[in-house]
Structure formats: C-alpha cells, structure tokens
Amino acid sequence: MRKQVLSLTETAAARIRHLLDQRRRSFLKLGVKARGCNGLSYTLNYADEKGKFDELVEDKGVKILIDPKALMHVIGTEMDFVDDKLRSEFIFVNPNSAGQCGCGESFMTISSSEAAKRGGGSRT
Amino acid sequence: MTSSSRSLIRRLSPYFSARIRLNSRLLSSSSALRESQLSSSESPSPSTDAVHMTDNCVRRIKELQAEEASKKLLRLSIEAGGCSGFQYNFALDDKTNNDDRIFEKDGVKLVVDNISFDFVKGATVDYVEELIRSAFQVSTNPSAVGGCSCKSSFMVK
C-alpha cells in the first residue's frame, strides 16, 4: 500500500471539512514559498480544480492538493490544527525539516538548504 | 457711548473673541491631559509612546472576554528567542501588576510590563485572520529593526 505523501490529524481534517463546506470550495491547496527566516514557509489556499501536476491527497474524507513545487519538501508531513484562545492555526510536522524558526512558520529542508548552498538558483 | 468707541469695539471684538477661543482651547486641552494622566495609570498621550490596537484586535479581545467569566486583558510581553533575538508573547491575564503599562481602546485593555514596553513603544497589535492561521500579531513596531518576516521575532535598535 502506497505511503501517504501527507497525513492529516482528525482535528485538521475536521477543520478543513468545515472550511470547504462553509466556502463551498472543492479543495485546499498546500504549497511552499521561499520566505521567512529559515528557507521556506507553507501556503494554503482554496482551489476548485486539480491542476495537471498537482498531487491529490485524500485522508479522513478530505481532499488536499499539493503544489508540485512543494511536493518534495512536504513528503511525510503530518498536518495538524491547533485552536486555543489566542491563536488557531494549521501546523505542519515535517520530518524533512532540518530547522525551524521560533514561530514555526519558516522551515528548511535538506533539499532546500543544499539548493541554497548551491547559490539559491533552484529555490522554489 | 460715542460712535468712535463703538466702532473701535466693533473692530477689536473679533480679535478678542479669537483670543478667548484660543485660550479656552488651550485650557481644555491641558485639563484633558491632566485628567488622562490621573485616570489611567501611565497611559501616555503622544502616540509614539503608546502601544496601539487595531479595530480587529479590539473586536477579537471582546469576543474572548465574552467567553470568560472574569474580565480578561491581553498581555504583550517580550522574551528572548526567535531567529532575530527577541520574540513577542501574547497571553490572556486577569490582573495587572504595579509596573504594567495599560492601554485602553473601546473598553478593552492591552497590558505591557515596563521592561517589555521599551521594546514595543509605538507598536501596533493586530489580529490577523488568514486561511492558514488566525492570531494576534505585532504588525508594526518602530522600536524594532529587522526581524523575521513571520513577525514573531525581531531585533531592537
């Protein structure tokens, strides 16, 4: 059985289900962008159709699209949702992450750090 | 009254009334300043010396207060850490301490302890709501230079 690229906790799946139902959109799309103090940070947007090279992940009854540029960086990640009075946010537990900035928003993976050493040319 | 003195009065009265208006404005502004200094503890009047809140921040604090039995305050403090030296920490608190600075807007209070205040003079606290997260954030801080772009860590001038 093929190992999931991305897994969701029950709380994350429930939250995503709620967001998609509320807005009546089809998918959430996970991506990464270069910013933050330590390489990359996650982006999350609504999407209505699957792009040609997007990876579709279905877990706990919820569909997530992964941007092809992000795929290598998020393999094996578990997406969770924490909700306390002061903040509510999606968090990503990423085994590829070699370091993280204090707030956890920005992370670096082995592949992105090597790319940065090579001169940042292949930075996504 | 002679006509010349009547016309003199007519000529001079606009100056007098303007002066009286200016004086009353000065008097009322200085008394308001004294009043604000007496009523709220150490709430400074110049805006570069206060910590501000956006309307969304106030709205969110009111929502949180509605859920709690006791009246909660939002406390902003600074701790060492993060990728740029210092990071902000938000918490809900019940009480203020003697060395706290309290900023009030629309009936909600933001509390900063005296030591942290030096690092956030003139800053603005916002409540940012995005798909990926909803959280309190210090959106601008003139006391900080540089800082990480996720806005949780910063350096001081």
Side-chain angles (χ1 to χ4, degrees), chain B residues 20-153:
Chain B
I20 288 166
R21 271 199 296 272
L22 178 68
N23 287 344
S24 71
R25 239 181 287 136
L26 286 172
L27 279 170
S28 60
S29 69
S30 69
S31 68
L33 188 70
R34 243 179 286 128
E35 258 175 54
S36 68
Q37 279 173 349
L38 286 172
S39 59
S40 62
S41 56
E42 296 130 310
S43 179
S45 14
S47 62
T48 49
D49 234 12
V51 180
H52 310 100
M53 287 184 271
T54 58
D55 290 336
N56 209 30
C57 176
V58 170
R59 183 196 60 85
R60 178 62 183 164
I61 298 173
K62 283 189 178 164
E63 270 175 28
L64 292 174
Q65 283 176 340
E67 291 167 20
E68 297 284 323
S70 60
K71 200 86 167 160
K72 291 283 186 183
L73 323 148
L74 183 66
R75 180 178 286 281
L76 169 63
S77 56
I78 304 303
E79 32 189 53
C83 32
S84 301
F86 295 93
Q87 57 190 12
Y88 304 108
N89 182 38
F90 287 101
L92 287 175
D93 206 350
D94 288 309
K95 54 172 178 37
T96 62
N97 307 314
N98 286 333
D99 67 340
D100 282 338
R101 287 179 179 255
I102 307 173
F103 304 97
E104 186 157 350
K105 181 177 175 180
D106 226 7
V108 305
K109 292 194 175 121
L110 173 72
V111 179
V112 187
D113 63 86
N114 224 358
I115 298 171
S116 300
F117 178 66
D118 283 335
F119 298 101
V120 295
K121 258 189 268 228
T124 302
V125 176
D126 192 9
Y127 185 70
V128 167
E129 292 177 281
E130 306 171 324
L131 182 58
I132 202 170
R133 78 180 56 80
S134 301
F136 288 104
Q137 211 178 63
V138 178
S139 58
T140 52
N141 186 358
S143 305
V145 64
C148 90
S149 46
C150 69
K151 295 193 201 289
S152 72
S153 180

Side-chain angles (χ1 to χ4, degrees), chain A residues 44-84:
Chain A
L44 209 53
N45 290 296
Y46 291 108
D48 287 311
E49 42 186 51
K50 179 182 175 310
K52 193 169 175 199
F53 299 106
D54 289 344
E55 176 82 13
L56 174 64
V57 169
E58 190 158 352
D59 192 12
K60 301 185 170 62
V62 168
K63 295 194 177 107
I64 304 264
L65 294 173
I66 303 179
D67 190 274
K69 286 182 286 203
L71 199 55
M72 285 320 296
H73 299 296
V74 303
I75 282 180
T77 295
E78 184 190 57
M79 187 171 168
D80 194 4
F81 183 70
V82 295
D83 191 0
D84 66 49

